[in-house]
């Protein structure tokens, strides 16, 4: 049997903080190559990525797994009660950065795939796409792997992303879509002056306050069939002005929007620019806007793929999983342009936290779920 717990520990001990590879993909390439997978490093822009395939290239039945080995920084190491990259096990729980998000998920699907092709070689292909840039800008990670696949004629018929998806209990949630995400930065430029003579200045602060109030007070929508209502959060406002007798010349702010399938990044960008222009005209100042769209909303409608995963989850956990689109973004937002995609993984309560950890039993359980998915898909 291929031990996913040992593989998880080996991966945690690789300090692969984005964008450092840290030895994690080197380890996986060796593990998969020895099991008969054809492996290719698809590095781009200083980011390490790994493509691995067992079976015939371009086969009509090609099941894919996607995941990442990069992790967020440990933060204040003194706050940890264990070594962040030690993979220490205490009372059936493994600790370490990436234990939940998501080296255990990668270990589980890699171990399941290796055992499956060894014991019951399928009529088809299994493809693993593993990136080192999910926690970063995600410009040269899964997108680079998908570009490589397009160029080389590689194809997944369906894909499962192994991100932690369960909020409370193992098996309670599958992600069938994600909200879109975008951030807008605003700079209001006025005229600096003495606070005792405000008529001689153009104060950017009331302008920014008006703009932020307009944006935050606006109801974007009431939700759709598979999505909650879209949200806009004001995440910063700043002048950098320590003096109380000076009206500053500039004020900056930013908002983050998580949006459902009733919007696109372009339509929301148009709205933000229109609101900024109206406030600028009202006050007679300059408002500059910069927008970054991190991902569009998407949905894999409930059907064959979500049913396949849900049956395996229920068989191994006894829980009927909820089909959800909640949470942040993931690399599924890129995979959805290639093939149908859903996400299923561990309980994610400790991801990105100090003393991030995973129950050892859950790693075995996740491997069994992934193995059952493969058996059922190729049955």
């Amino acid at each position: 049997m291929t031990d996913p717990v040992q593989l998880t520990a080996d991966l945690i001990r690789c300090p692969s903080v984005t964008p450092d590879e840290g030895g994690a993909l080197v380890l996986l390439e060796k593990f998969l190559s020895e099991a008969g997978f054809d492996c290719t490093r698809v590095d781009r822009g200083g980011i390490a990525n790994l493509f691995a395939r067992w079976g015939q290239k371009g086969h009509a039945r090609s099941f894919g797994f996607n995941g990442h080995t990069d992790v967020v920084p440990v933060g204040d190491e003194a706050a940890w009660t264990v070594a962040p990259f030690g993979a220490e096990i205490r009372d059936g729980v493994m600790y370490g950065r990436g234990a939940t998000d998501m080296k255990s998920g990668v270990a589980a699907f890699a171990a399941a795939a290796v055992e499956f092709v060894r014991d019951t070689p399928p009529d088809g292909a299994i493809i693993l796409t593993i990136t080192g840039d999910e926690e970063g800008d995600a410009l040269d990670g899964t997108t680079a792997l998908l570009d490589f696949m397009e160029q080389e004629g590689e194809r997944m018929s369906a894909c499962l992303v192994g991100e932690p998806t369960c909020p409370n209990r193992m098996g309670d949630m599958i992600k069938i879509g994600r909200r879109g995400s975008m951030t807008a930065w605003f700079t209001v430029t006025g005229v600096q002056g003495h606070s005792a003579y405000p008529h001689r200045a153009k104060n950017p602060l009331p302008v920014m306050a008006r703009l932020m109030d307009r944006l935050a007070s606006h109801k974007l929508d009431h939700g759709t069939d598979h999505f909650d209502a879209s949200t806009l959060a004001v995440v910063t406002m700043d002048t950098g002005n320590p003096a109380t007798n000076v009206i500053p010349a500039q004020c900056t702010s930013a908002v983050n929007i998580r949006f459902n399938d009733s919007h696109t990044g372009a339509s929301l960008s148009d709205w933000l620019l229109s609101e900024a222009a109206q406030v600028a005209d009202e006050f007679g100042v300059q408002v500059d806007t910069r927008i970054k769209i991190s991902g569009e909303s998407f949905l894999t409608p409930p059907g064959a793929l979500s049913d396949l995963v849900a049956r395996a989850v229920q068989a191994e956990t006894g829980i009927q999983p909820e089909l959800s689109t909640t949470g942040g973004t993931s690399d599924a937002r890129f995979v959805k342009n290639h093939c149908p995609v859903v996400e299923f993984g561990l309980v994610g309560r400790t991801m990105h936290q100090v003393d991030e950890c995973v129950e050892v039993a859950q790693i075995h359980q996740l491997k069994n779920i992934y193995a059952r998915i493969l058996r059922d898909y190729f049955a």
Side-chain angles (χ1 to χ4, degrees), residues 47 77 90 114 139 225 239 260 263 288 294 353 359 363:
I47 298 297
E77 190 166 347
R90 295 180 180 177
V114 164
L139 299 175
D225 289 345
T239 64
N260 60 35
H263 307 277
D288 297 310
S294 301
Q353 292 184 4
E359 293 181 19
I363 303 176

Side-chain angles (χ1 to χ4, degrees), residues 162-175:
E163 288 280 0
T165 59
C166 301
N168 298 306
R169 294 187 299 165
M170 186 66 174
D172 61 4
M173 186 172 288
I174 297 170
K175 303 288 188 182

Side-chain angles (χ1 to χ4, degrees), residues 88-368:
E88 182 178 341
I89 297 177
R90 295 180 180 177
D91 299 323
V93 176
M94 182 182 293
Y95 291 83
R97 178 59 83 223
T100 299
D101 189 13
M102 60 164 289
K103 290 183 174 180
S104 49
V106 171
F109 69 59
V114 164
E115 278 191 12
F116 181 67
V117 301
R118 183 188 64 209
D119 298 341
T120 53
D123 178 20
I126 297 176
I127 290 174
L128 310 184
T129 54
I130 307 169
T131 179
D133 189 34
E134 196 274 345
E135 301 289 6
D137 292 334
L139 299 175
D140 295 300
T142 292
T143 54
L145 286 160
L146 293 170
D147 289 345
F148 165 81
M149 292 177 66
E150 183 71 24
Q151 295 161 9
E152 297 297 320
E154 301 280 2
R155 193 77 195 170
M156 296 183 289
S157 307
C159 183
L160 190 154
V161 177
E163 288 280 0
T165 59
C166 301
N168 298 306
R169 294 187 299 165
M170 186 66 174
D172 61 4
M173 186 172 288
I174 297 170
K175 303 288 188 182
I176 60 169
R178 292 280 187 165
R179 296 179 297 174
S181 176
M182 62 190 295
T183 301
W185 293 266
F186 302 93
T187 301
V188 176
T189 302
V191 177
Q192 182 173 320
H194 198 297
S195 59
Y197 305 97
H199 59 285
R200 296 177 181 172
K202 281 192 176 180
N203 194 337
L205 291 167
V207 183
M208 188 66 80
R210 178 72 60 83
L211 177 58
M212 292 300 101
D213 179 62
R214 287 176 63 118
L215 298 180
S217 300
H218 180 75
K219 186 72 173 178
L220 289 168
D221 56 71
H222 297 280
T224 64
D225 289 345
H226 293 284
F227 288 88
D228 292 336
S230 302
T231 61
L232 180 148
V234 179
V235 293
T236 184
M237 289 182 65
D238 184 50
T239 64
N241 176 28
T244 60
N245 60 347
V246 174
I247 293 172
Q250 277 193 340
C251 181
T252 61
S253 69
V255 301
N256 181 259
I257 303 176
R258 303 300 171 113
F259 58 95
N260 60 35
D261 54 353
S262 59
H263 307 277
T264 65
S267 67
L268 288 169
S269 295
D270 289 343
W271 170 67
L272 291 169
L273 292 170
S274 174
E275 291 292 310
Q278 290 182 49
V279 172
D281 288 345
E282 178 183 348
F283 284 87
V285 298
Q286 179 180 337
V287 180
D288 297 310
T289 306
R290 178 170 64 91
I291 297 171
K292 178 183 177 181
I293 301 169
S294 301
E296 300 286 348
S297 67
F298 76 93
L299 177 73
T300 300
L305 181 55
S306 57
D307 289 347
L308 171 76
V309 177
R311 284 195 302 269
V313 171
Q314 187 168 23
E316 295 293 335
T317 67
I319 296 173
Q320 178 64 43
E322 175 189 355
L323 304 183
S324 172
T325 59
T326 57
T329 59
S330 76
D331 278 2
R333 70 189 190 272
F334 306 124
V335 180
K336 57 91 175 174
N337 296 323
H338 177 90
C339 68
V341 59
V342 299
E343 301 172 60
F344 178 78
L346 296 169
V347 176
R349 284 196 298 265
T350 67
M351 56 183 174
H352 295 200
Q353 292 184 4
V354 168
D355 284 351
E356 181 179 351
C357 60
V358 58
E359 293 181 19
V360 168
Q362 285 190 11
I363 303 176
H364 288 294
Q365 198 171 27
L366 187 60
K367 176 198 166 188
N368 293 339

